[in-house]
Amino acid sequence: MSTSKPSTPYAVEITSSVTLVIAPGTIAVLHRIERAEDDGPDLYHVFHIEGGDPYVIRDDDGVHLRTTTIGVLHHQCGHDPEGAARFENEAGALIYAEYGLSACWPCDQVPQD
């Protein structure tokens, strides 16, 4: 007799995250934050979204940070992703994906490199 628990039919896997630095006139990908030692502004070391050389955005430029996450919806596919949120029904999985992720693809439609 097997004692293993059957896998749930739906899983939502977080596959990546990135923090965007949003400032007037630009959106960039955060590399690191250099905290100000005095009363000066923090410095955000960033990369342009479309590539190119790194540059710096000063915090006094009206900066907002937004971490965005993306993931994959596994629907009765046989995949067993480690650390995924698991659901008994599609509605629960879709609600989790809608509120927890910025973008989510069905596992059979994930963009391939």
Side-chain angles (χ1 to χ4, degrees), residues 26-48:
T26 190
I27 298 176
V29 177
L30 179 65
H31 175 63
R32 68 181 176 89
I33 299 173
E34 184 179 333
R35 297 289 180 195
E37 293 181 15
D38 299 326
D39 288 336
D42 291 339
L43 302 177
Y44 299 98
H45 295 259
V46 299
F47 297 99
H48 194 276

Side-chain angles (χ1 to χ4, degrees), residues 11 15-16 22 26 28 31 47 49 52 54 60 65 73-74 79-80 89-92 96 103 105 108 110 112:
T15 57
S16 185
I22 303 168
T26 190
H31 175 63
F47 297 99
I49 289 177
D60 60 356
L65 301 180
L73 172 65
H74 297 276
H79 295 137
D80 189 21
N89 59 57
E90 184 176 17
Y96 178 87
W105 291 271
D108 62 347
V110 173
Q112 300 296 318

Side-chain angles (χ1 to χ4, degrees), residues 66-108:
R66 175 156 187 229
T67 299
T68 184
T69 55
I70 60 172
V72 175
L73 172 65
H74 297 276
H75 170 231
Q76 301 177 342
C77 59
H79 295 137
D80 189 21
E82 189 175 319
R86 301 187 185 283
F87 301 89
E88 291 295 330
N89 59 57
E90 184 176 17
L94 293 176
I95 289 169
Y96 178 87
E98 178 182 357
Y99 289 101
L101 303 174
S102 299
C104 187
W105 291 271
C107 68
D108 62 347

